[in-house]
Amino acid sequence: MYFLSTMDQKKLVDRILPTARSVGVSEDLRGWNWSKPPLKPMYDEKIPMYAVCSKYCPTSRDVFLNKVMKVAPKQSEPVILGTAIHRVVSTVISCFLDGKVPEFDSWYYETLRSRSVTEQIPAVKDKARAVWDYVLKNCEIQYLNRRSEQPYANRRDLLATSVPFLVEHKVSGELLGLSGLLSVDCYDYLRGIVFDLKVAHETKDWYRLAPTGYAIVLESVYEVPVDAGCVVHLWFQGEELRVTKDLFFINDDLRSWWLEERDSKLSIVAQKMDPGIPPKCYNDCIYQEACRCSTN
């Protein structure tokens, strides 16, 4: 899922990294300058990364409903599928690195039981299994390739370089006005790339906000530059799994855009300010019912 293809690798080496070195990033937009404007938060409130980066609602009323009015999001099949796929990807990679990958069916039913899920959706299970097999096969291929190149390396070293991922990496965003319990989908620590997984076919420019935000957070905590981000799009064409990547340089424009979104969402929460119902709603909005009811 997070392994770079030949074309991705060329894009990284021939375009993104040279651009990052020649253009650079403004020092005041690096995460380690979290204690100074413009990175220093204006309020004491803390909000999750998804609240900052989601732009499904044109007025950001979803943030007001969830964080101020405490409205719980409505579950839907796309939301359940997205949650399941994220869990599958992180589980397979983590278990592969631990040296013991469980059998899919037993893991799946145990996961449902532990979350008290009584109603199963067959389509979700079938897609989860397809992703499980895909991720596991990719991990095995990368490991075998690395082992064939370095026959005297030990298993730990081979895994560290063939599958160089921190998945669901837990990190605090408190220095930047975010939750202390953030979870990065994946960080490639050898190439310095932050990945964000979208279970969706369509592309939106604001999908780049999440990798940008996580890069700034990682810079604030570890004090190392993170210049590359990647949005992984996963979807199904019929029964066939499709994966594409949007690999990009986390430049000043993206960093400034993320800060604008953070400040805007923090203002809504801190001032308990209702931004108003939007003139047009996202079709699958998980707050639409509560949003419309709250205006009656």
Side-chain angles (χ1 to χ4, degrees):
M1 198 63 60
Y2 303 122
F3 297 108
L4 298 184
S5 67
T6 302
M7 293 304 293
D8 295 329
Q9 189 70 29
K10 288 181 69 66
K11 194 183 300 181
L12 178 71
V13 173
D14 296 340
R15 192 173 73 192
I16 295 175
L17 294 182
T19 301
R21 290 171 188 139
S22 62
V23 176
V25 172
S26 298
E27 184 66 15
D28 60 352
L29 295 177
R30 289 292 194 186
W32 51 76
N33 280 314
W34 57 269
S35 61
K36 309 170 191 173
L39 265 64
K40 184 178 180 180
M42 294 183 294
Y43 303 97
D44 293 332
E45 278 73 10
K46 304 289 187 286
I47 58 176
M49 185 67 85
Y50 68 80
V52 174
C53 301
S54 172
K55 289 185 65 64
Y56 287 111
C57 180
T59 64
S60 302
R61 195 161 195 261
D62 53 351
V63 175
F64 172 77
L65 290 170
N66 184 238
K67 297 303 168 191
V68 179
M69 302 300 289
K70 307 301 181 187
V71 174
K74 185 179 179 181
Q75 292 295 307
S76 63
E77 185 167 327
V79 173
I80 293 171
L81 177 63
T83 302
I85 297 302
H86 275 80
R87 183 168 289 250
V88 163
V89 173
S90 63
T91 297
V92 173
I93 294 176
S94 297
C95 290
F96 186 82
L97 292 172
D98 289 341
K100 189 175 182 181
V101 180
E103 192 270 331
F104 172 78
D105 280 330
S106 60
W107 171 84
Y108 189 79
Y109 290 120
E110 174 57 26
T111 301
L112 293 181
R113 188 198 62 76
S114 66
R115 296 172 67 87
S116 302
V117 177
T118 56
E119 183 180 356
Q120 295 186 36
I121 304 175
V124 171
K125 182 185 175 186
D126 291 344
K127 291 175 179 174
R129 184 195 296 275
V131 174
W132 179 285
D133 293 341
Y134 175 83
V135 176
L136 179 57
K137 187 63 69 179
N138 271 275
C139 289
E140 291 171 342
I141 290 171
Q142 294 297 326
Y143 177 76
L144 290 174
N145 284 340
R146 183 63 179 157
R147 192 173 70 179
S148 69
E149 295 167 354
Q150 296 293 337
Y152 300 110
N154 59 38
R155 176 177 170 77
R156 180 178 177 181
D157 186 44
L158 291 172
L159 285 172
T161 50
S162 61
V163 189
F165 305 142
L166 298 175
V167 289
E168 297 295 340
H169 180 54
K170 302 298 184 288
V171 64
S172 174
E174 292 183 73
L175 299 176
L176 293 159
L178 304 172
S179 165
L181 301 172
L182 299 182
S183 185
V184 185
D185 281 352
C186 178
Y187 178 55
D188 181 333
Y189 52 79
L190 285 186
R191 299 170 187 81
I193 305 172
V194 178
F195 291 89
D196 193 61
L197 175 61
K198 295 290 184 189
V199 184
H201 185 192
E202 79 275 14
T203 300
K204 299 182 186 298
D205 56 355
W206 55 264
Y207 281 174
R208 290 185 172 188
L209 286 173
T212 299
Y214 284 123
I216 297 173
V217 168
L218 291 172
E219 289 178 348
S220 75
V221 174
Y222 300 124
E223 307 242 348
V224 295
V226 181
D227 293 336
C230 184
V231 180
V232 179
H233 293 267
L234 182 156
W235 80 97
F236 286 83
Q237 190 173 39
E239 296 181 355
E240 296 295 324
L241 172 64
R242 304 295 187 208
V243 178
T244 56
K245 296 185 184 72
D246 173 28
L247 191 61
F248 58 93
F249 169 40
I250 302 175
N251 59 21
D252 283 2
D253 289 344
L254 281 170
R255 290 166 183 266
S256 296
W257 187 12
W258 183 84
L259 285 172
E260 290 172 11
E261 293 296 328
R262 182 205 61 176
D263 292 345
S264 170
K265 309 294 176 54
L266 269 178
S267 295
I268 290 174
V269 176
Q271 299 181 28
K272 297 180 171 49
M273 177 183 65
D274 186 349
I277 190 169
K280 185 177 181 181
C281 295
Y282 172 63
N283 286 339
D284 296 324
C285 178
I286 52 181
Y287 296 99
Q288 192 173 67
E289 186 177 326
C291 182
R292 298 291 173 178
C293 289
S294 68
T295 60
N296 294 332

